[in-house]
Amino acid sequence: MTENSAINRTKIKRRSANRRATEATILAAAESVFAEAGFGGATMQLIADMAGLPKANLHYYFATKEALYRAVVQRIFQIWLEAADAMDGAPGPTEGIGAYIDAKMEISRRHPNGSKVWASEVMHGAPVIQDYLETTLRDWTAGRVAVINRWIAEGKMAPVNPDHLLYILWASTQHYADFGHQIETLNGGPLTEADWETAKASVKEVVLRGIGAI
Amino acid sequence: MTENSAINRTKIKRRSANRRATEATILAAAESVFAEAGFGGATMQLIADMAGLPKANLHYYFATKEALYRAVVQRIFQIWLEAADAMDGAPGPTEGIGAYIDAKMEISRRHPNGSKVWASEVMHGAPVIQDYLETTLRDWTAGRVAVINRWIAEGKMAPVNPDHLLYILWASTQHYADFGHQIETLNGGPLTEADWETAKASVKEVVLRGIGAI
DNA sequence: CCTGAACCTGACCATACGGTCAGAAAAAGA
DNA sequence: TCTTTTTCTGACCGTATGGTCAGGTTCAGG
């Protein structure tokens, strides 16, 4: 059992690389179908068709529909949290919250399906990620609230309730993904590059002026 | 056929009163189940149980699951539109937008399930109410955009993009219904009367200052 | 070339779902 | 009271779904 031989590692790596690629294909298809139809409306057959795989193969990689859904949601939560970094290390709210809005708007633009799945999950009472809400998200929120309170204490922004400010940030940015269809309908078509710039600028302008940081 | 005899009218009225009451019971149960499980996840049996009626009776009042869903969504859209009145006849953005925020926050508080069903419907591409989006909602939006532009021209607020301002308003207020579970988790329990007042005040403060109306 | 493990899949199964229907019960009308 | 209409419901049906499984295929390792 020379498990750390170069050949062995290479082959194992190729194996698991294929595995990860197939998993990624399935996850992408699943995200799309779950976003369009919701958990209840999605079918394994539909996901399989979209992934170009036989249905039974899905069950080889993900034991149950719920396990697959779980994997999709967790991947989204990771992306969601990464945007949090944008707020770190900023000298003040203009930079910190501005960058956070940019990051979250970019997520809405690049991962609209992920955002929808997340929204759907939370709307239905977060049956799968309740523990994340109570641990990771709670901790993250507490940290940002502290930062905002510090900025307020330093006179860098108006004394706005930090929790509700975060809700406004989340809501305003995610809205462009979750309600993207409504926006596109009113807009008469998909948002152009310029439209997205206007959107970002508008949200930042209103929020930053709203907290007295402009 | 003395159709307009008093007795006749009374009996017809009682009949249709019963009918309406049963329909209302079914609609309330359906709204709750659709909000919790989504269209695909909801079952007629579950709705029937919650309404305290045999499943077959549901099909007597609503031919199909989709017809029932349609009725639920349309009822919500009515409530949604009624809040629009709050913005009318206001002398300026402080009163108009302030009242609109109050009205929409109140909807999020009183009709969280309705809001969730609406959100779910739009997120899934508005298969049922697409025509409403393109007609009624589009007209309503155009009207408010005109009002906002007038306020801007009159120097009563900053020259904020009116469309994106509306999105911020919708997003920030509906968030308290659609993501109510997340908020309650972070809050450590349901929002109290005082919490709701803080929420309303915070949204109004940030938005109104954000558009230069404070 | 052989072996065993990992990977893949068509065919199948039990269940739960939306919807139907015959006919009972209740109410209205004469 | 008798008839007609409306309301209600248990039992049933066809279908689609999530999930299983036996057996095939591929591929690394010796």
Side-chain angles (χ1 to χ4, degrees):
Chain A
M1 287 281 209
T2 55
E3 292 203 4
N4 43 3
S5 79
I7 293 169
N8 209 340
R9 258 185 285 131
T10 304
K11 285 179 177 169
I12 283 175
K13 207 176 279 175
R14 195 183 314 141
R15 267 275 161 129
S16 47
N18 280 343
R19 180 172 257 276
R20 262 195 296 276
T22 307
E23 280 175 1
T25 304
I26 295 172
L27 284 171
E31 184 180 285
S32 159
V33 172
F34 281 135
E36 279 168 27
F39 178 81
T43 71
M44 293 299 270
Q45 189 61 61
L46 217 69
I47 296 171
D49 291 348
M50 181 155 293
L53 296 170
K55 193 185 69 166
N57 206 355
L58 260 64
H59 281 98
Y60 177 73
Y61 284 94
F62 299 93
T64 65
K65 183 185 179 185
E66 200 183 309
L68 175 54
Y69 176 73
R70 207 175 267 267
V72 169
V73 172
Q74 282 174 3
R75 211 169 61 106
I76 294 157
F77 190 57
Q78 283 310 313
I79 295 172
W80 204 90
L81 272 183
E82 280 167 25
D85 301 340
M87 207 163 155
D88 287 335
T94 313
E95 302 85 356
I97 291 177
Y100 186 53
I101 290 173
D102 278 334
K104 289 227 67 197
M105 289 293 282
E106 208 58 29
I107 290 178
S108 286
R109 187 176 183 184
R110 305 297 174 193
H111 302 279
N113 285 336
S115 186
K116 285 176 190 174
V117 174
W118 172 265
S120 200
E121 163 70 8
V122 172
M123 275 200 329
H124 297 354
V128 166
I129 44 92
Q130 180 63 31
D131 49 337
Y132 285 87
L133 294 188
E134 289 169 0
T135 55
T136 317
L137 181 62
R138 200 167 198 160
D139 293 344
W140 183 88
T141 304
R144 310 306 131 163
V145 166
V147 171
I148 293 170
N149 276 328
R150 210 188 59 220
W151 286 336
I152 292 173
E154 293 171 354
K156 289 175 174 167
M157 56 177 280
V160 177
N161 182 293
D163 291 295
H164 294 291
L165 172 56
L166 285 177
Y167 301 156
I168 292 174
L169 292 175
W170 295 343
S172 305
T173 53
Q174 287 168 215
H175 189 81
Y176 285 88
D178 303 341
F179 289 75
H181 179 80
Q182 181 172 302
I183 291 177
E184 287 188 6
T185 298
L186 293 175
N187 189 56
L191 299 193
T192 64
E193 176 68 36
D195 288 333
W196 276 101
E197 288 308 314
T198 306
K200 269 200 243 180
S202 297
V203 173
K204 278 195 284 187
E205 181 192 341
V206 171
V207 172
L208 291 180
R209 193 194 291 122
I211 61 173
I214 292 187
Chain B
M1 288 281 209
T2 55
E3 293 204 5
N4 43 3
S5 79
I7 293 169
N8 209 341
R9 258 185 285 130
T10 303
K11 286 180 178 170
I12 283 177
K13 207 175 280 177
R14 195 183 317 141
R15 268 277 162 128
S16 48
N18 281 343
R19 181 170 257 274
R20 262 195 297 273
T22 306
E23 281 175 359
T25 304
I26 295 172
L27 284 172
E31 185 180 282
S32 160
V33 173
F34 281 134
E36 279 168 27
F39 178 81
T43 70
M44 294 298 272
Q45 188 61 61
L46 217 70
I47 296 172
D49 291 348
M50 181 156 291
L53 296 169
K55 193 185 68 166
N57 206 355
L58 259 64
H59 283 99
Y60 177 73
Y61 283 94
F62 298 92
T64 65
K65 184 185 178 183
E66 201 184 308
L68 174 55
Y69 176 74
R70 210 175 265 267
V72 168
V73 172
Q74 282 174 3
R75 211 169 61 107
I76 294 156
F77 191 58
Q78 284 309 312
I79 294 172
W80 203 90
L81 272 182
E82 280 167 25
D85 301 341
M87 206 161 157
D88 287 336
T94 312
E95 302 84 357
I97 291 177
Y100 186 52
I101 290 172
D102 278 333
K104 289 226 69 198
M105 288 293 282
E106 209 56 31
I107 291 178
S108 286
R109 186 177 184 184
R110 305 296 174 196
H111 302 279
N113 284 336
S115 186
K116 285 176 191 174
V117 174
W118 173 265
S120 199
E121 164 70 7
V122 173
M123 275 202 327
H124 298 352
V128 166
I129 44 91
Q130 180 63 31
D131 49 336
Y132 284 86
L133 294 188
E134 288 170 0
T135 55
T136 317
L137 181 62
R138 200 166 199 159
D139 293 345
W140 183 88
T141 304
R144 308 308 131 162
V145 166
V147 171
I148 292 170
N149 277 328
R150 209 189 61 222
W151 285 336
I152 292 173
E154 293 171 355
K156 290 176 175 167
M157 57 178 279
V160 176
N161 182 294
D163 291 296
H164 294 291
L165 172 57
L166 285 177
Y167 301 155
I168 291 173
L169 291 175
W170 295 343
S172 304
T173 52
Q174 287 168 215
H175 188 81
Y176 285 89
D178 304 341
F179 289 75
H181 179 80
Q182 181 172 302
I183 291 177
E184 288 188 7
T185 297
L186 294 175
N187 189 57
L191 299 193
T192 64
E193 176 69 35
D195 289 333
W196 276 102
E197 287 307 314
T198 306
K200 269 200 241 179
S202 297
V203 172
K204 278 195 284 187
E205 181 192 342
V206 171
V207 171
L208 291 180
R209 193 194 290 124
I211 62 173
I214 291 186

